[in-house]
Amino acid sequence: MSILSGKNILLGITAGIAAYKTASLVRLFIKAGAHVKVIMTPASKDFITPLTLSTLSKNPVHSTFVSEEDENAVWNNHVELGLWADIFLIAPATANTLSKMANGTSDNLLLATYLSAKCPVYFAPAMDLDMYKHDSTKNSFKILKGFKNIMIPATSGELASGLVGEGRMAEPEDIITFIEKDILKKLPLNGKRFLITAGPTYEAIDPVRFIGNHSSGKMGFEIAKVAANQGAEVVLITGPTHQNLSHSFVEIIPVTSAEEMYVASHKHFNDVDVAILSAAVADYRPKQVAAKKIKKKDSTLTLELEKTKDILASLGDIKEKQLLIGFALETNNELENAKAKLNKKNLDLIVLNSLQDKGAGFGGTTNKVTIINKNGNINEYDLKSKTEVAKDLINEILNNINA
Ligand code: CTP
């Protein structure tokens, strides 16, 4: 999944021959899962038709303040377009438009939207080589970079004039890669590796039966999603669940038993910066697993159980640089018990769920947590969706990483 998935991309097209390449650009954004709206300067319509772009973007194309096609003369709101966008890309960006942007001119819809936009602005210049080299153009680049606009440099090659040199708009694929990389490198968890455990474990009794629990895995999957969206590479080790997650930064390792989760967690722990153990691991498992299905005979059946390995405690024993986070589900003396667990298992943070809180714990879509760190700081959060709880936890982790 691309980091652009779900993002609102506003594409501003100005009057350069490279405008013909914006058809591919729109297609690539859509393929990456982004939503696209297009603004064209009036002169750019000589190079590519609005019909092509509205068809590909699945949205009407805007080029004037008042919609020409609509007999009721709907006003194209540049402020709304600017607010809608997560990213504003101006490609191709001509010397004329760049100069106007640098000087605050707003004599068309694209420029007025540029002045209103609050999101990151990228521009991909395209012009003939002498225009690209001109001091006035260089000055525009400098001013726009000073505005924190991001330049996607032109490349060298044959130009529309027949001359060869610098000034060709970057290719659509390269523009997309440039933006993706730029977004990623600015994410707070870029370069960090996470291990997350999620879901229940199933402990076999015989080939068809097991001891399990009601954990849905939702909390762990939400944490994995939030961490990955913030740039972390995540190894998600999960017991059997109905959750699914498709994200290019998340590697899912399915396991069944506590022993399998233990082995997988130890395999990856050395390579990670942060480990979050949210799985509801079985504390006990049948001592003997029957090789064949147990037949019903007597009126009672006794199973002898033995302790499983405590994955969290075993990672606490060997941890070096890693930040280690555990969960605690308590029914009484919650804070004391959670603090004791944090110390005993050598954790950096513990996330406490109290079964006395309505809407907390497993199964549901909400959770109410208190997060305690090893210095004794306690943050009590309101009842929230598990997505919001995951965001709070990741923020706490960021505070601890940066502390
Ligand atoms: N955990 C684990 N391996 C186990 C059992 C629990 O990694 N075999 C982890 C869970 O993923 C969670 C925390 O330990 O992060 C939960 O511990 P919990 O079950 O509440 O506490 P225990 O230490 O098992 O103590 P008790 O059940 O007595 O409260």
Side-chain angles (χ1 to χ4, degrees), residues 222-243:
E222 289 295 339
I223 297 168
K225 192 159 70 184
V226 173
N229 282 342
Q230 302 223 22
E233 278 180 57
V234 180
V235 175
L236 174 61
I237 301 169
T238 176
T241 72
H242 294 295
Q243 305 293 325

Side-chain angles (χ1 to χ4, degrees), residues 20-276:
Y20 82 90
K21 294 186 182 175
T22 56
S24 311
L25 197 52
V26 172
R27 261 190 54 73
L28 289 170
F29 275 127
I30 297 281
K31 215 170 134 199
H35 311 289
V36 182
K37 288 187 182 176
V38 176
I39 306 180
M40 303 178 78
T41 59
S44 71
K45 294 181 191 170
D46 291 337
F47 296 92
I48 184 161
T49 70
L51 182 62
T52 305
L53 296 161
S54 63
T55 308
L56 292 172
S57 68
K58 305 180 181 91
N59 273 311
V61 168
H62 306 288
S63 68
T64 55
F65 288 95
V66 178
S67 176
E68 293 143 38
E69 300 95 50
D70 194 328
E71 58 197 18
N72 298 320
V74 176
W75 183 51
N76 287 324
N77 191 329
H78 57 93
V79 177
E80 260 175 30
L81 282 168
L83 290 177
W84 173 84
D86 295 315
I87 289 167
F88 190 10
L89 165 66
I90 296 151
T94 58
N96 181 40
T97 291
L98 291 172
S99 163
K100 287 179 177 179
M101 284 161 62
N103 289 290
T105 306
S106 65
D107 62 0
N108 63 38
L109 182 69
L110 188 151
L111 290 162
T113 309
Y114 166 70
L115 286 177
S116 317
K118 291 193 165 65
C119 61
V121 175
Y122 295 82
F123 63 93
M127 62 198 77
D128 207 49
L129 77 167
D130 291 314
M131 295 172 84
Y132 197 72
K133 277 196 299 219
H134 199 282
D135 281 345
S136 153
T137 310
K138 284 190 190 153
N139 199 35
S140 300
F141 294 161
K142 198 171 145 205
I143 293 173
L144 293 172
K145 285 179 188 169
F147 295 162
K148 303 249 177 325
N149 297 167
I150 305 139
M151 174 160 150
I152 306 174
T155 59
S156 271
E158 195 176 329
L159 301 164
S161 61
L163 298 172
V164 176
E166 214 174 3
R168 270 166 70 114
M169 186 178 83
E171 291 302 322
E173 288 81 1
D174 298 333
I175 290 179
I176 302 271
T177 307
F178 183 102
I179 296 174
E180 284 175 337
K181 281 193 179 157
D182 190 67
I183 295 174
L184 286 175
K185 78 170 187 240
K186 290 173 182 161
L187 290 174
L189 291 175
N190 177 45
K192 299 280 180 219
R193 287 182 58 83
F194 275 49
L195 181 161
I196 298 172
T197 67
T201 63
Y202 288 178
E203 309 304 326
I205 298 171
D206 66 17
V208 294
R209 302 185 182 92
F210 59 83
I211 298 174
N213 62 64
H214 289 298
S215 168
S216 65
K218 189 165 174 57
M219 194 66 248
F221 273 68
E222 289 295 339
I223 297 168
K225 192 159 70 184
V226 173
N229 282 342
Q230 302 223 22
E233 278 180 57
V234 180
V235 175
L236 174 61
I237 301 169
T238 176
T241 72
H242 294 295
Q243 305 293 325
N244 48 47
L245 175 59
S246 163
H247 195 298
S248 52
F249 283 16
V250 182
E251 181 192 355
I252 297 187
I253 300 181
V255 295
T256 305
S257 65
E259 181 60 23
E260 285 172 15
M261 190 173 273
Y262 176 92
V263 171
S265 300
H266 276 265
K267 185 171 165 213
H268 292 279
F269 187 62
N270 276 341
D271 303 328
V272 301
D273 303 285
V274 178
I276 306 170

Side-chain angles (χ1 to χ4, degrees), residues 277 279 281-283 308-312 326-329 341 345:
L277 274 66
V281 188
D283 287 327
T308 57
K309 290 175 192 150
D310 188 324
I311 307 167
L312 185 59
F327 275 66
L329 183 64
K341 241 172 230 179
K345 300 193 186 185

